[in-house]
Amino acid sequence: MASTLLWGVAHLAVERRRTGLALMAAYVLMLAGVLTVFTAYSTKLLSLAVQPYWLAWLTVGVAAIALAWTGVIVWSFLLVRPERSDTVGRFLTTTLTVALCALILAPTAYATRLAYLSRDVVNTLFTPSSTAAPVLAQDPWNGAERVNFLLLGGDAAPGRPGVRTDSMTVASVDVETGATVLFGLPRNLQRVQLPAGPARDRFPYGFTGEGPDTPGLLNEIYQFAEDHPEMVPGVENGKRGSTLLKATISDILGIPVSYYAMVDMKGFAEIIDAMGGVQVTIKNPIVYGKYREGLLPAGTRRLSGQEALWYGRSRTDSDDYVRMGRQKCLLNAVAKQADPVTVLNSFERLAAATKRAISTDLPQDLLPAVVDLAGKVKSARLRSLSFVPPLINTAYPDRYLIRRKVKEALDPPTSTRTAPAHAASTTPAPTPDDPLTLDAVCH
């Protein structure tokens, strides 16, 4: 038992001093190395966890330490075990040795399993890195002050063709502070201008759709591009929709949308369940279901995946625009509550649900920077601006007004822009008078 806690004790007990001292020195060096990694480089560990190269080495390193530790335990047992005549002593010490080895090997097997699942998720969801070396020190955003992500909620319902992106939000993130503005675009935005090229040549006066299945709404562009390869020449199947939608929304907002992530609605419910639910504040009771078969009472409560789905999708007794507000509140709640302990405790379920539910064009070599940025976002204030009536006429959207509002939302006072991320807690409390403050809207 002592040799399990400090290698070499058993060897010293049987007067193998040189070997015992060497094992002790190796143990101290190993422990010092582990502690150094988890203290001096703690901020980089999560970034390493999204890089398959480092995950492979981590698995090998953990397995090597566990095997060495187990070997020391067995070696110590062989040195100090009772005589053959002591049957009871032999049985007890053998049982203890097996238990101690299991105590070392079980966490190692679990850690190896997590590393394998992490590599599988990264390799499944994210496009391969353009370079073999991990990106840790260089500027991944090429000097940009903000990076813009398009967040899509896809709804592939039975009885209607293709995928409709009923939820469309652009998250504009300040790369220094993590301060984020969510720009919400309604699904029924009509006659939007498509980007220059074959798409605009086909619809020179704005997207009007084709036939009864596509009346010309913004949420139809994704599937329309997938069904019409000539709209996005040179782009492979499965990527045409996101490519055209990113370019279209970039043009609407007047900001470059670099990356997208789309979550399937049913898969989103699975992710929430894997997290153990999500806590939200419901201001007014929400009726849901085609035949009003359900009700989410008012108050602060923890929602299951299915309840969270209805919270974000229900339009009964409300409309698209009220629903958009709830969707942003839900995104805010998930971002704040997805802490590392929650993720670790349900990692396997989250990994499986994520692989089924999410598609994205984020490259693997950008993941460390995204992880670092996500940490800043969690400690910063999220604000929201939705382009809905009466601000915008969805049938004839004023793109110049939209762009002006976007510019105003992204142009805060200099003191706010330069404040470090940790200073978010010292800023004045949000008030309902600020139409952009998401916390005020959601509580």
Side-chain angles (χ1 to χ4, degrees):
M1 287 186 69
S3 291
T4 303
L5 300 174
L6 178 61
W7 296 356
V9 173
H11 292 73
L12 291 179
V14 296
E15 311 225 344
R16 296 193 177 187
R17 291 186 176 85
R18 186 173 298 177
T19 304
L21 291 174
L23 286 173
M24 285 184 176
Y27 178 80
V28 170
L29 288 174
M30 179 197 71
L31 198 62
V34 171
L35 290 175
T36 300
V37 168
F38 277 92
T39 52
Y41 300 100
S42 59
T43 57
K44 297 294 183 183
L45 289 181
L46 200 55
S47 297
L48 297 179
V50 292
Q51 298 179 71
Y53 175 83
W54 286 108
L55 283 172
W57 277 107
L58 175 65
T59 303
V60 171
V62 169
I65 290 175
L67 290 175
W69 208 321
T70 304
V72 170
I73 294 172
V74 173
W75 192 3
S76 301
F77 162 73
L78 294 175
L79 291 176
V80 299
R81 60 185 170 177
E83 299 293 333
R84 285 185 180 272
S85 57
D86 188 355
T87 307
V88 175
R90 280 266 178 146
F91 173 78
L92 291 176
T93 52
T94 301
T95 302
L96 176 62
T97 302
V98 171
L100 292 173
C101 290
L103 187 66
I104 298 299
L105 293 175
T108 304
Y110 180 67
T112 302
R113 173 69 175 167
L114 291 184
Y116 170 79
L117 290 173
S118 296
R119 291 185 70 232
D120 188 39
V121 169
V122 170
N123 287 325
T124 300
L125 289 184
F126 304 100
T127 55
S129 301
S130 57
T131 58
V135 178
L136 290 178
Q138 68 188 58
D139 177 16
W141 312 117
N142 296 319
E145 291 185 1
R146 306 191 73 91
V147 61
N148 305 306
F149 302 90
L150 174 59
L151 311 177
L152 303 172
D155 188 4
R160 74 179 188 185
V163 175
R164 298 292 186 269
T165 54
D166 283 347
S167 175
M168 291 167 283
T169 301
V170 171
S172 182
V173 186
D174 188 305
V175 298
E176 291 295 328
T177 67
T180 301
V181 181
L182 302 177
F183 296 109
L185 293 161
R187 70 183 185 91
N188 60 338
L189 209 61
Q190 299 179 50
R191 298 177 179 84
V192 296
Q193 179 176 282
L194 298 180
R200 188 179 296 179
D201 293 342
R202 180 163 183 168
F203 297 100
Y205 304 109
F207 179 67
T208 55
E210 188 176 72
D213 290 333
T214 53
L217 306 182
L218 182 62
N219 71 336
E220 297 159 1
I221 290 177
Y222 182 96
Q223 189 61 44
F224 196 88
E226 290 294 339
D227 295 338
H228 298 80
E230 69 280 4
M231 295 271 287
V232 196
V235 180
E236 62 185 274
N237 184 35
K239 297 182 179 179
R240 292 190 288 265
S242 59
T243 299
L244 183 58
L245 189 57
K246 281 197 308 180
T248 301
I249 291 178
S250 292
D251 187 68
I252 293 172
L253 300 179
I255 56 177
V257 176
S258 303
Y259 308 101
Y260 91 97
M262 182 166 69
V263 59
D264 172 74
M265 293 297 187
K266 184 178 178 182
F268 181 72
E270 294 179 8
I271 292 173
I272 296 295
D273 282 332
M275 285 177 54
V278 60
Q279 182 173 298
V280 299
T281 298
I282 302 175
K283 290 186 174 183
N284 301 301
I286 299 172
V287 178
Y288 62 84
K290 186 175 182 180
Y291 303 104
R292 307 173 66 91
E293 60 262 35
L295 175 71
L296 298 176
T300 299
R301 60 187 70 256
R302 182 166 291 274
L303 304 181
S304 66
Q306 189 61 39
E307 290 172 333
L309 198 58
W310 282 119
Y311 173 84
R313 295 186 64 193
S314 177
R315 287 183 291 169
T316 306
D317 296 339
S318 61
D319 54 32
D320 274 333
Y321 314 124
V322 173
R323 179 173 72 168
M324 286 175 62
R326 291 200 302 265
Q327 288 171 355
K328 289 170 183 56
C329 292
L330 196 57
L331 285 174
N332 188 31
V334 171
K336 300 298 184 185
Q337 295 172 39
D339 59 273
V341 174
T342 298
V343 172
L344 190 62
N345 287 340
S346 53
F347 190 83
E348 190 155 355
R349 290 181 63 196
L350 274 171
T354 299
K355 284 170 56 180
R356 288 193 297 268
I358 293 179
S359 59
T360 181
D361 62 352
L362 275 171
Q364 288 184 12
D365 55 1
L366 195 61
L367 293 181
V370 173
V371 168
D372 179 61
L373 192 60
K376 296 177 182 178
V377 170
K378 284 179 69 70
S379 61
R381 182 187 299 179
L382 270 71
R383 300 186 300 155
S384 175
L385 176 61
S386 294
F387 294 105
V388 301
L391 177 63
I392 295 297
N393 181 343
T394 57
Y396 298 94
D398 184 342
R399 61 194 298 264
Y400 299 104
L401 174 61
I402 292 175
R403 288 186 168 199
R404 179 162 56 84
K405 290 295 183 182
V406 169
K407 188 176 185 303
E408 291 172 358
L410 297 182
D411 192 23
T414 305
S415 58
T416 303
R417 180 183 301 171
T418 57
H422 65 266
S425 59
T426 64
T427 58
T431 65
D433 296 330
D434 180 2
L436 286 173
T437 302
L438 190 60
D439 287 336
V441 174
C442 296
H443 294 87

